[in-house]
Amino acid sequence: LVDPAPLAAALNAAITAAPEEARLPLAVARAGLAAHGMALAHTHVRLNAAQIHNALRQRLGIDAAPDDMAERRGLLAEINTALAEVAPQPVDFGALLAERASAPRLMMTVAQIIKHIDGSQPVRFLIAETETGYTLLAALWLARRFGIADRVEISPLFETADALERGERVLEEALRSPHWRAYLRAQGRLCLQFGYSDSGRYVGQLPASYLAERLKLRLAEQLRRHGLEGIELVLFDTHGESIGRGGHPDSLADRFAYLSPPATRLAFARAGLKLREESSVQGGDGYLLFGTRELAEAAVARIAEHAFAPPEATPDPIYAEADFGADFFATARREMAALVEDPGYAALLGAFGPGLLDRTGSRPSARQSDGGGGPVRIAHPSQLRAIPNNAILQQLGWLANTLQGLGLAAAANPDAFADLRARSPRFARAIAMAASAAAASDIAVLRAAVDTLDPGSWLDRAGATRRPGRREALMNVAAALEKLDLAAPVRRMFHRLQADHLALRAAWPDLPRMPDRLVLLHATRLALIHRIWLIAVAVPDFSPRHGATREVLVHRILQLDVEPVLALLGEIFPAAPDPAEALDFHEPAPPREGASYAAEHAALFAPMRGYFLLLREASAAITQEVGAFG
């Protein structure tokens, strides 16, 4: 059974025959069947553009680089010729098992889903990092090759800076192809997805929303120009919990209006385009919104109000004064992009940030230990996944991916900044994101973390202490930090953040501040870090074991890679003698002098473990205070 028609007929008969009180639940079941076919939801698969390119390089011998502008025209001509000649071939499980290339294997999997599970609903085929129209045409070739072009919704994901900037050109390259236009007419819809996690961390949350809106506004004209006014436009705005991934912190109405500004909805309505809006509700945010029946009903009601309300036609000043808006968001984007490339930013994110977090999700944060080598040094923010990236910024007390660049942007024209905050709902809604980020940020909290990585601050403490033995411990921490060599780049980067923040405070005097309760949590957690480091430098020396030396393990503890290090120290310094010492070997026995390091466990390892557990508890409390529940 791969089509719901027989079940729908049975449900229709059941509804007719059912007593009044049973009809509504049956009608809801029928609606779910009609909406989702034989699945529990819409089926959605994903891969990267590079995997599509590799597949066609292998099958068609297309070697030109899609990102090479000099070869782009010839490349597009070549794929259009291939689309005119492609013939469908059957798919079976043997071919699927034998296939090694990711893109063909995924497309063949979709073909088998359609054949054996659900043939009634199209499958969304999402392509991340789509930065050229060739990618879309190449995916269409694969779909035609396996005979499922009519059941696959090819959808580019625009979330990187390049993808958002080039999105209009990407679509234009595809729309110039008669094969792509014919495909869209047959489908009756164009599906696009916008991501806010990666785009926010690379170009900033506010500039990302502006770039996405600009692309949406230009879509209507593009579709009209290519004679595609009658198709449905599906816009999937994926965003997660909290401001760090694009979820607006205010009401659900603000959240939906932030993702889909009234001006874009009005533009599509005037162009005669049918609009379908889709959005994911991820992480703890999803549990909160649907955690009880009352909450779920309220959330669904707000969704319905947004979806069925006519587009708001009241002019917004931000569009009449487009030059200021364009300059403002462009400045913020430029400053955030520069921050991402600053070596000090990567050093700060990787210094001890991942160690502050409990493991979340199914994938590591890209911080992995290999034997005694310790955590991987993060050379660029792209080495971190989006969720840990945002979470680390929250733990450091500075939400740079929402705030950075706004100071310089506002300082360029403070009067216009204040005026549009007061008069423009679109601009005010975006700036509300910054206000919420500022309430979870404090430049002094970040400075304390930066000072913690600076050997100089530990040497200053060593010069001031009067406690016996403390001076040596503080100096040992300073020496270990000196070898990590993080202080100089991190402090230079901090000055960049500080200067922009001062400019923002000058332009926006009533910008919210971090509440004392949250400041105290950061201070408590920082004290726990200091305590752990002071214990770490008291670990006794030992011969290299498992590829690790004392120096390596101390450095790992400085980066809060504590739990694996404690496990290794437990092997190097066993808490009890070897049990074999108590055995009777039936011959005269000498005094037992086996090694026992119970004193080290009591004085060093057990307290370090306790402090680290408290540290993680403080991190969880900070997450709750910020409001990032996922």
Side-chain angles (χ1 to χ4, degrees):
L1 185 64
V2 297
D3 189 283
L7 290 178
L11 276 168
N12 288 336
I15 291 170
T16 301
E20 185 67 30
E21 64 274 10
R23 289 181 179 176
L24 181 58
L26 287 169
V28 171
R30 181 178 61 182
L33 184 70
H36 301 134
M38 304 305 297
L40 295 177
H42 293 140
T43 305
H44 182 142
V45 299
R46 167 179 172 149
L47 46 59
N48 289 340
Q51 294 167 304
I52 298 279
H53 304 161
N54 291 337
L56 265 70
R57 184 181 302 112
Q58 178 191 49
R59 280 169 162 73
L60 297 179
I62 298 178
D63 293 323
D67 57 353
D68 187 343
M69 292 300 296
E71 298 184 350
R72 183 71 60 81
R73 187 182 297 273
L75 186 65
L76 292 171
E78 195 170 356
I79 187 61
N80 273 295
T81 300
L83 281 166
E85 298 172 351
V86 63
Q89 66 180 26
V91 175
D92 67 358
F93 284 108
L96 177 58
L97 291 170
E99 182 59 59
R100 291 292 175 264
S102 298
R105 186 170 67 241
L106 186 57
M107 196 68 79
M108 292 164 77
T109 301
V110 172
Q112 293 298 82
I113 289 172
I114 292 168
K115 187 193 303 181
H116 296 291
I117 298 174
D118 185 7
S120 66
Q121 299 292 319
V123 174
R124 186 76 52 80
F125 198 90
L126 178 65
I127 308 173
E129 301 174 5
T130 301
E131 297 175 5
T132 166
Y134 169 76
T135 304
L136 303 179
L137 300 179
L140 178 58
W141 186 90
L142 283 174
R144 286 187 176 181
R145 179 65 167 170
F146 299 118
I148 56 171
D150 61 330
R151 308 308 299 153
V152 172
E153 295 177 340
I154 299 170
S155 175
L157 170 60
F158 299 121
E159 63 177 349
T160 65
D162 286 342
L164 286 168
E165 188 67 41
R166 302 173 185 171
E168 183 180 10
R169 191 185 70 203
V170 168
L171 295 172
E172 184 64 27
E173 287 176 346
L175 288 168
R176 287 175 183 169
S177 167
H179 301 285
W180 183 253
R181 295 196 301 273
Y183 162 75
L184 292 181
R185 290 191 184 98
Q187 286 280 338
R189 52 168 44 178
L190 169 62
C191 303
L192 306 177
Q193 185 158 329
F194 298 86
Y196 288 82
S197 52
D198 279 332
S199 58
R201 67 182 174 133
Y202 289 135
V203 303
Q205 277 298 339
L206 274 61
S209 74
Y210 171 77
L211 289 173
E213 181 186 11
R214 187 181 67 174
L215 178 54
K216 292 173 184 178
L217 285 170
R218 292 176 178 177
L219 265 175
E221 171 58 25
Q222 275 188 304
L223 294 175
R224 183 202 62 77
R225 193 168 63 250
H226 289 284
L228 295 169
E229 297 96 328
I231 70 168
E232 181 181 40
L233 191 57
V234 180
L235 302 180
F236 187 163
D237 288 287
T238 176
H239 65 287
E241 76 296 331
S242 81
I243 54 173
R245 299 186 71 205
H248 201 279
D250 292 344
S251 68
L252 275 181
D254 284 306
R255 182 175 185 151
F256 298 135
Y258 178 75
L259 289 174
S260 182
T264 62
R265 302 182 77 206
L266 184 64
F268 295 139
R270 287 174 173 170
L273 291 166
K274 293 179 288 184
L275 177 63
R276 175 186 173 93
E277 295 178 84
E278 298 180 350
S279 179
S280 56
V281 183
Q282 302 178 34
D285 191 18
Y287 296 105
L288 288 173
L289 291 176
F290 301 96
T292 68
R293 182 179 183 86
E294 291 77 12
L295 277 171
E297 288 178 348
V300 171
R302 301 294 82 74
I303 293 169
E305 287 172 356
H306 169 81
F308 296 110
E312 184 179 329
T314 305
D316 190 311
I318 190 66
Y319 303 104
E321 302 172 30
D323 287 346
F324 171 80
D327 290 345
F328 180 89
F329 292 115
T331 300
R333 176 197 168 185
R334 185 186 68 239
E335 291 301 302
M336 185 64 203
L339 178 66
V340 169
E341 298 304 324
D342 190 321
Y345 188 56
L348 180 67
L349 290 172
F352 46 65
L356 297 171
L357 307 171
D358 287 308
R359 187 174 184 273
T360 59
S362 59
R363 298 183 294 180
S365 65
R367 171 192 172 92
Q368 295 148 350
S369 299
D370 50 348
V376 176
R377 178 66 67 91
I378 296 172
H380 191 273
S382 60
Q383 291 179 254
L384 276 173
R385 301 191 189 280
I387 294 175
N389 179 288
N390 298 329
I392 289 168
L393 291 174
Q394 294 163 6
Q395 295 298 327
L396 293 172
W398 193 257
L399 277 62
N401 56 352
T402 305
L403 291 173
Q404 181 60 15
L406 299 187
L408 191 59
N413 194 335
D415 292 337
F417 175 73
D419 180 59
L420 280 178
R421 275 178 54 215
R423 294 192 301 116
S424 165
R426 170 68 179 93
F427 192 68
R429 196 171 287 118
I431 295 302
M433 295 277 284
S436 184
S441 302
D442 190 304
I443 201 71
V445 168
L446 181 62
R447 181 189 289 110
V450 171
D451 288 344
T452 294
L453 296 169
D454 188 348
S457 66
W458 292 84
L459 292 173
D460 289 341
R461 290 172 62 183
T465 187
R466 296 293 180 265
R467 292 179 59 179
R470 178 53 61 87
R471 182 182 62 185
E472 291 75 10
L474 291 164
M475 292 181 68
N476 287 337
V477 173
L481 286 170
E482 196 72 54
K483 292 180 180 178
L484 279 183
D485 195 25
L486 296 173
V490 168
R491 193 165 292 282
R492 284 195 298 270
M493 180 277 309
F494 172 77
H495 293 155
R496 177 196 294 269
L497 298 178
Q498 186 180 27
D500 188 75
H501 175 62
L502 290 172
L504 184 59
R505 285 279 176 199
W508 190 355
D510 56 345
L511 182 70
R513 298 182 181 273
M514 181 184 287
D516 292 345
R517 174 185 173 94
L518 186 51
V519 173
L520 183 58
L521 270 172
H522 281 287
T524 302
R525 206 257 314 279
L526 202 58
L528 290 166
I529 292 173
H530 289 200
R531 177 64 60 185
I532 289 170
W533 288 5
L534 287 169
I535 295 175
V537 296
V539 171
D541 203 0
F542 56 87
S543 299
R545 295 279 299 275
H546 304 288
T549 64
R550 178 186 179 277
E551 182 181 28
V552 166
L553 295 191
V554 169
H555 285 170
R556 289 176 64 177
I557 294 172
L558 292 183
Q559 295 183 268
L560 297 185
D561 196 26
V562 174
E563 290 171 318
V565 170
L566 286 176
L568 190 53
L569 287 172
E571 296 179 20
I572 297 170
F573 300 100
D578 192 316
E581 292 190 11
L583 298 177
D584 183 1
F585 290 92
H586 300 284
E587 55 184 328
R592 299 310 196 199
E593 298 176 352
S596 172
Y597 298 96
E600 284 80 3
H601 279 263
L604 302 175
F605 308 149
M608 191 186 300
R609 180 174 285 107
Y611 289 133
F612 187 68
L613 291 174
L614 284 173
L615 181 154
R616 285 286 180 83
E617 290 290 334
S619 294
I622 289 170
T623 298
Q624 298 293 331
E625 292 290 316
V626 171
F629 297 97

